[in-house]
Amino acid sequence: MEKEDNANRLARESSPYLLAHAYNPVDWYPWGNEALQKAEKEHKLLIISIGYSSCHWCHVMEKESFNDPEVADVMNRFYVSVKVDREERPDIDQIYMTAAYIVQGTGGWPLNVIALPDGRPFFAGSYFPKERWIYVLEQFALLQQHEPQQLEEYAAKITSHIRTPDISPDSFHPLENSLSELKKELDPLKNKFDPEYGGLKGSPKFPMPSLLQMLLTMGFKLRDAELDQHVKITLVKMAIGGIHDHVGGGFARYSVDPWWKVPHFEKMLYDNAQLLKLYAQAYARWKDPLFLNVCKQIVSFAQRGLHSPEGAYYASFDADSNGEEGQYYCWSKIEIDSLLGNDTDAFCEIFQVTEAGNRKPDKNILIRKDAKHDKRIADWLKILLEARNQRIPPALDDKILTSWNALMITGLCELAKVTGEDYYTSLACETATFIKEKMILPDGMIRHTYKNGEASIHGFLDDYAFTIEAFLALYELTAEEKWILRAQQLNLYTLSHFQDPESRLFYYTSDAEAIIIERKMELNDHVVPSSNSVMAHNLLKLSAYFEIPEYTNMAKQMMQSVDAILIGGIEFYANWVHLKWLLSASLKEVVLSGENISEAAREILKTFLPGIIMLYQNQDSYIPSLKKIHLPEEPLLIQICEEGICHRPFTSTQDAISFLSK
């Protein structure tokens, strides 16, 4: 695409976020050598501005500052300005977000960084009003002219703190391998629980699916009623709260208050994919129809709004529509009355709609009064959805990201397991086939993003980790060995190109990528579990499938590397805690063989049984751990093995489930 006369270089890009800045008067560059070389040649500082398409405050700053000729004049005179889509380049965002926490103590988007020509940052912040932004830019331009050494000193200090903490073998922490020790570690976390509304105390409030999934498992295994109650309260309060789109399904990214009432209205694929998995597991545990309904609504939202013709899912919906945040999702009582007539009062009581409004004058976010079932609700919401479809919708970010699609596959697999419905299996297989055919090269290299028929950008560790996880889930669901064999191919590529041989942890970028200041390792589990913790889980499963004990040793060593930093912040390492439990309890292999395994598999899969993996014996199996098992004469045989020892086989599915539930 040629650059138009009144457009900047971003007009050549495919990212919706970058294209939204293509007609700014700022002389934007995409991230790359061209911008860095220009800064070096002209002795100019860099502005590195990072955001994403559905970010509300990114749009605000674009309108107030980047689209303003006065601001653009300052930026163009003194700086080389680089615009980055954080979803396309999470590696760049990771580096400079670390700098923001060092400088400001907080992070967030838009992320605006000022750096030396070589990319080393000396200042970082989030949203700036126009006048404040101009002031900051002019002050640093003066400093560069008169005291450049001061900027060099700032950059050196920040860069030294960006580097990954020491995780050499000398820092390994011996693991405490018992449920009682895990309980002791979890007890302090309970003080951070919000007992009334669930989640963690305070605001803004994020769903944190990885944390809730860990608590769901540990509540079950520890027989801890307090953990169980916390997970239930959180899931119910989110489901009836304003963060949940009752009309169209799916969840917003977070709530700005402690009550799940007022969301930040952007809707992301990665949140909804993880919440799909979480609510499906909660349904398997407690059989609450509310949880199953939430799952089905998430899928309906994804199919209606995010599903691409190629069979994958787009990234997100914007928070804004028609220039206003949340306008698309809010209702006046007058509108409700015009749509529902005689049912208006009943609807408004259930969803707490008032003439005054709870969002702004006469506008309401729908918030259910309670979780009581009312058979009329579905019909009412269908009418509202038809009406809402006539509104101007939020902008869609239609790029396809491998990692987020892999999360969706895993979520769909979980729902297919608990419902037994082939529809969800077919959706998972369709998206997995897209990744296999469009995003993975013959040697196992993954591409990160797909847009306009082209896959681009070398995959990051989460692309590999989440895809391996998804393919393993698909094997357990379908018994098709092509998925587990492809998972192992990707694992071998990851081991070769991402792993640090000393700590056995994985770098976020491959060894083929240029290093930006530092080759980082992603360790914290936040709104998405860290790619390292997911890889450790994958290695544990692949060790059992392919009889490679070294993979288990790798997972243990990774856990040892991280264990010392869990104390005091366990909520940020939830998936690691989950792994720690698996290492202490040992993974159970459930091997099904015989002619009648389909029904047995369905019964086992729909039961909440954390810590198991499924294997399906057949005559032509390529999985090493199955080759040594002879097909039985019985119609069904269920063999349960752990740590190389197999228990007495079961011929009854229910007996096997009872054993696994202990």
Side-chain angles (χ1 to χ4, degrees):
M1 176 180 174
E2 293 297 321
K3 189 179 82 166
E4 298 178 30
D5 289 343
N6 59 339
N8 56 53
R9 291 163 185 79
L10 300 185
R12 305 185 184 117
E13 299 298 305
S14 63
S15 158
Y17 176 68
L18 299 185
L19 289 171
H21 294 76
Y23 292 90
N24 292 162
V26 175
D27 188 19
W28 289 115
Y29 285 75
W31 179 268
N33 288 331
E34 184 181 6
L36 297 174
Q37 288 170 0
K38 179 180 173 65
E40 289 280 6
K41 182 180 179 181
E42 298 182 8
H43 303 291
K44 286 186 173 182
L45 299 174
L46 287 169
I47 293 172
I48 303 163
S49 182
I50 304 173
Y52 56 100
S53 182
S54 57
C55 166
H56 170 70
W57 287 103
C58 299
H59 299 320
V60 173
M61 193 162 178
E62 189 267 337
K63 291 173 185 174
E64 290 181 349
S65 294
F66 302 144
N67 214 26
D68 185 284
E70 182 184 359
V71 176
D73 178 63
V74 177
M75 292 175 69
N76 294 340
R77 270 190 296 135
F78 299 115
Y79 297 87
V80 173
S81 299
V82 179
K83 181 54 79 170
V84 178
D85 182 339
R86 70 167 295 264
E87 295 166 357
E88 278 195 339
R89 294 304 303 263
D91 56 329
I92 298 168
D93 178 65
Q94 200 178 80
I95 291 288
Y96 292 115
M97 187 59 74
T98 304
Y101 276 99
I102 293 166
V103 173
Q104 303 275 11
T106 59
W109 298 277
L111 172 59
N112 292 290
V113 177
I114 305 180
L116 298 177
D118 61 7
R120 287 180 296 146
F122 56 81
F123 176 81
S126 186
Y127 164 77
F128 292 89
K130 173 186 169 181
E131 298 304 325
R132 174 65 180 164
W133 182 236
I134 290 174
Y135 174 79
V136 167
L137 296 180
E138 289 178 340
Q139 291 305 304
F140 282 118
L142 286 171
L143 206 56
Q144 186 202 23
Q145 292 173 15
H146 301 294
E147 298 183 67
Q149 186 56 37
Q150 194 170 338
L151 298 182
E152 179 69 38
E153 290 170 4
Y154 290 160
K157 186 176 181 180
I158 292 170
T159 301
S160 69
H161 288 290
I162 287 175
R163 304 197 185 282
T164 301
D166 177 30
I167 43 176
S168 67
D170 293 339
S171 67
F172 287 174
H173 194 262
L175 296 179
E176 297 289 350
N177 292 320
S178 72
L179 285 176
S180 61
E181 289 299 325
L182 275 172
K183 181 172 175 53
K184 287 179 185 177
E185 292 183 7
L186 283 170
D187 280 344
L189 179 61
K190 295 176 181 179
N191 296 324
K192 301 178 183 180
F193 291 169
D194 181 335
E196 187 174 0
Y197 290 95
L200 300 178
K201 293 174 183 175
S203 61
K205 189 169 266 186
F206 288 81
M208 303 293 283
S210 183
L211 173 60
L212 291 169
Q213 186 185 348
M214 181 271 286
L215 296 175
L216 177 67
T217 298
M218 298 312 300
F220 178 74
K221 285 297 177 181
L222 294 171
R223 305 293 189 261
D224 189 321
E226 188 176 352
L227 293 183
D228 284 348
Q229 183 68 4
H230 176 71
V231 175
K232 283 182 184 177
I233 288 173
T234 304
L235 295 182
V236 169
K237 292 296 186 181
M238 286 198 302
I240 67 175
I243 192 174
H244 184 205
D245 179 3
H246 300 282
V247 173
F251 288 82
R253 195 163 73 93
Y254 64 89
S255 168
V256 301
D257 56 65
W259 314 291
W260 307 112
K261 288 186 176 181
V262 180
H264 188 44
F265 289 91
E266 61 199 34
K267 294 171 78 174
M268 319 297 292
L269 176 61
Y270 67 78
D271 285 317
N272 286 284
Q274 292 181 95
L275 288 168
L276 175 60
K277 176 183 177 182
L278 173 63
Y279 274 95
Q281 289 185 337
Y283 176 72
R285 174 84 192 279
W286 291 302
K287 297 298 185 287
D288 186 331
L290 174 68
F291 298 160
L292 181 59
N293 188 50
V294 166
C295 291
K296 292 183 175 182
Q297 286 181 313
I298 290 173
V299 176
S300 294
F301 153 67
Q303 292 304 115
R304 186 177 59 255
L306 295 177
H307 196 243
S308 75
E310 298 100 325
Y313 295 88
Y314 298 131
S316 63
F317 276 109
D318 205 329
D320 299 2
S321 56
N322 202 25
E324 184 179 334
E325 183 185 7
Q327 184 187 66
Y328 184 72
Y329 300 100
C330 295
W331 301 85
S332 70
K333 190 169 183 181
I334 293 173
E335 288 175 292
I336 302 296
D337 187 44
S338 69
L339 295 168
L340 300 184
N342 292 335
D343 290 330
T344 297
D345 289 344
F347 180 91
C348 289
E349 182 180 359
I350 291 172
F351 285 96
Q352 304 184 76
V353 174
T354 66
E355 290 184 5
N358 60 23
R359 164 71 173 164
K360 54 176 60 180
D362 87 354
K363 291 294 183 181
N364 293 270
I365 300 165
L366 299 185
I367 301 166
R368 282 183 62 171
K369 187 176 180 180
D370 52 46
K372 291 178 183 177
H373 177 69
D374 189 318
K375 61 183 180 181
R376 300 172 295 175
I377 289 176
D379 292 335
W380 292 338
L381 294 177
K382 184 177 179 181
I383 293 170
L384 264 64
L385 179 61
E386 290 174 358
R388 198 175 76 177
N389 287 340
Q390 306 308 309
R391 298 176 178 178
I392 297 172
L396 171 69
D397 185 337
D398 62 348
K399 66 175 175 289
I400 293 168
L401 299 172
T402 300
S403 55
W404 296 6
N405 273 267
L407 289 171
M408 190 63 182
I409 294 168
T410 303
L412 287 165
C413 285
E414 208 65 46
L415 184 56
K417 289 176 186 178
V418 301
T419 62
E421 294 184 26
D422 293 338
Y423 171 64
Y424 301 118
T425 302
S426 68
L427 293 180
C429 288
E430 179 185 41
T431 304
T433 300
F434 170 87
I435 290 178
K436 182 167 67 74
E437 294 180 353
K438 302 289 188 182
M439 307 304 287
I440 302 176
L441 302 183
D443 66 350
M445 177 189 285
I446 292 179
R447 295 297 188 195
H448 174 63
T449 186
Y450 182 91
K451 183 81 161 54
N452 300 331
E454 291 186 13
S456 62
I457 304 177
H458 189 171
F460 304 102
L461 183 60
D462 47 9
D463 293 305
Y464 291 84
F466 296 160
T467 302
I468 294 168
E469 177 186 46
F471 286 0
L472 292 177
L474 260 180
Y475 166 71
E476 289 202 313
L477 177 63
T478 66
E480 294 181 13
E481 291 191 359
K482 65 181 181 181
W483 298 117
I484 198 170
L485 296 174
R486 185 53 64 96
Q488 172 62 344
Q489 179 203 24
L490 296 175
N491 180 59
L492 291 173
Y493 187 95
T494 312
L495 290 170
S496 296
H497 296 282
F498 288 82
Q499 192 176 46
D500 170 45
E502 284 196 1
S503 67
R504 297 300 183 93
L505 292 164
F506 294 81
Y507 292 106
Y508 190 68
T509 54
S510 83
D511 55 8
E513 297 299 303
I515 297 174
I516 309 165
I517 302 177
E518 173 77 359
R519 198 176 175 204
K520 297 281 285 180
M521 290 179 176
E522 184 186 58
L523 302 179
N524 290 23
D525 302 316
H526 287 293
V527 292
V528 176
S530 71
S531 45
N532 263 289
S533 67
V534 175
M535 274 305 302
H537 281 261
N538 292 340
L539 287 167
L540 204 58
K541 292 180 179 180
L542 289 166
S543 177
Y545 284 128
F546 290 93
E547 293 191 321
I548 306 176
E550 178 59 16
Y551 287 179
T552 297
N553 292 334
M554 286 182 190
K556 287 180 178 177
Q557 193 169 331
M558 292 170 74
M559 186 69 248
Q560 286 177 314
S561 300
V562 175
D563 194 44
I565 58 177
L566 296 187
I567 300 168
I570 206 166
E571 65 269 29
F572 302 117
Y573 297 92
N575 204 40
W576 289 107
V577 175
H578 204 165
L579 174 70
K580 196 173 183 180
W581 165 71
L582 282 176
L583 290 169
S584 65
S586 77
L587 200 64
K588 292 179 175 61
E589 304 160 41
V590 182
V591 185
L592 274 62
S593 51
E595 297 177 359
N596 301 335
I597 66 172
S598 295
E599 187 57 37
R602 282 181 181 267
E603 287 299 310
I604 293 170
L605 289 172
K606 76 179 185 181
T607 308
F608 185 70
L609 295 169
I612 72 166
I613 60 169
M614 302 286 286
L615 296 97
Y616 304 95
Q617 173 65 20
N618 65 66
Q619 196 73 48
D620 304 312
S621 178
Y622 288 96
I623 300 174
S625 60
L626 292 176
K627 288 184 178 180
K628 62 186 180 185
I629 299 176
H630 299 290
L631 290 173
E633 296 179 3
E634 293 88 347
L636 173 67
L637 199 68
I638 303 173
Q639 198 162 42
I640 299 171
C641 308
E642 53 185 322
E643 296 184 326
I645 300 171
C646 294
H647 301 279
R648 176 180 57 82
F650 294 92
T651 55
S652 161
T653 305
Q654 288 307 314
D655 288 346
I657 290 173
S658 296
F659 179 84
L660 291 166
S661 298
K662 293 177 182 176

